[in-house]
Amino acid sequence: MVYWLGRRWTLPWRLALAGGVTFVGSQVLHLPANSVLGMTLNMSSQPLPVQAIVLGLSAGIFEEVARYVVYRFWQKDARSWEEAVYFGLGHGGMESALTGLLVALTLVNMVVIAQAPDPTALGLPEGALEQITDFWSMPLYMPMLAVAERLMALVLHVALSTVVALCFTRHRIWPLLVAILWHAAVDSLAVYAGQTWGPAVAEGVLALLTLPNVGLIVLMRRALGRRSVVPA
């Protein structure tokens, strides 16, 4: 999709790459911050709604501020709807690629351990064998849910990228605040639903939230304006 849209809209690869770099850069700060928050607030002892809200706000602040900074200081010409969409695809695509890589590495490890004549002789940490058993007994629909989640996350990143871009066409900061709060709301609801009702319900919640994300993308098409040179 990134390749096809880049060709159709005559957009440079560096814009999608900038979106991917934005995600990586945000996580360089986001993940250590979550560790500090976990220790400072003793997150494991907090009620689930508090955990969900804190984690959601953390994701919203770091990722949306990172988007804003990159638009402000690096991608200074990316102000049209097409450019914002392309940037968001790079951001979400990088997240999906890294998540897929981690899943692939986990699968390889599980296969290697399963092929071992005596897994208990591998010196695995306590509880690892139970986790391996849970992995292989996972329902077949779970991988499909994971793929659906990545697609819905991609739509979210595209929507948020268009909202943050509005800061620079309207010369206002409120779109950044809207992006932070909406990102936090989506992540918080997903965390709460997943921990309370399980992954299937959590994906259903994300599916419902994808509808307003699509609406945001369509709305931002008019608010941002189109590129001056776009092939028919």
Side-chain angles (χ1 to χ4, degrees), residues 1 53 73 97 187 230:
M1 179 182 291
I53 291 171
F73 297 104
D187 279 18
V230 179

Side-chain angles (χ1 to χ4, degrees), residues 20-138:
V21 171
T22 302
F23 172 75
V24 174
S26 70
Q27 299 311 300
V28 169
L29 298 176
H30 180 206
L31 296 179
N34 276 358
S35 298
V36 172
L37 281 173
M39 293 184 292
T40 303
L41 301 179
N42 193 14
M43 287 288 288
S44 60
S45 66
Q46 298 295 331
L48 179 58
V50 173
Q51 295 183 39
I53 291 171
V54 170
L55 291 174
L57 279 173
S58 175
I61 290 170
F62 280 96
E63 292 197 43
E64 302 317 314
V65 170
R67 264 188 259 265
Y68 179 89
V69 169
V70 170
Y71 276 137
R72 174 70 177 80
F73 297 104
W74 184 11
Q75 299 301 316
K76 297 180 180 181
D77 297 327
R79 300 293 183 261
S80 70
W81 179 78
E82 289 87 354
E83 288 164 325
V85 168
Y86 201 53
F87 180 86
L89 285 173
H91 188 121
M94 178 62 75
E95 182 185 39
S96 296
L98 293 177
T99 301
L101 179 60
L102 290 175
V103 170
L105 289 175
T106 299
L107 178 60
V108 169
N109 287 333
M110 292 298 177
V111 170
V112 169
I113 293 171
Q115 296 299 318
D118 183 11
T120 60
L122 296 176
L124 298 173
E126 184 179 354
L129 290 178
E130 288 79 2
Q131 294 177 7
I132 294 169
T133 301
D134 292 341
F135 178 86
W136 290 113
S137 60
M138 180 173 55

Side-chain angles (χ1 to χ4, degrees), residues 5-11 81-82 85 226-227 229-231:
L5 283 180
R7 291 288 301 273
R8 177 173 175 78
W9 290 341
T10 63
L11 292 171
W81 179 78
E82 289 87 354
V85 168
R226 306 295 300 275
R227 290 185 76 215
V229 179
V230 179

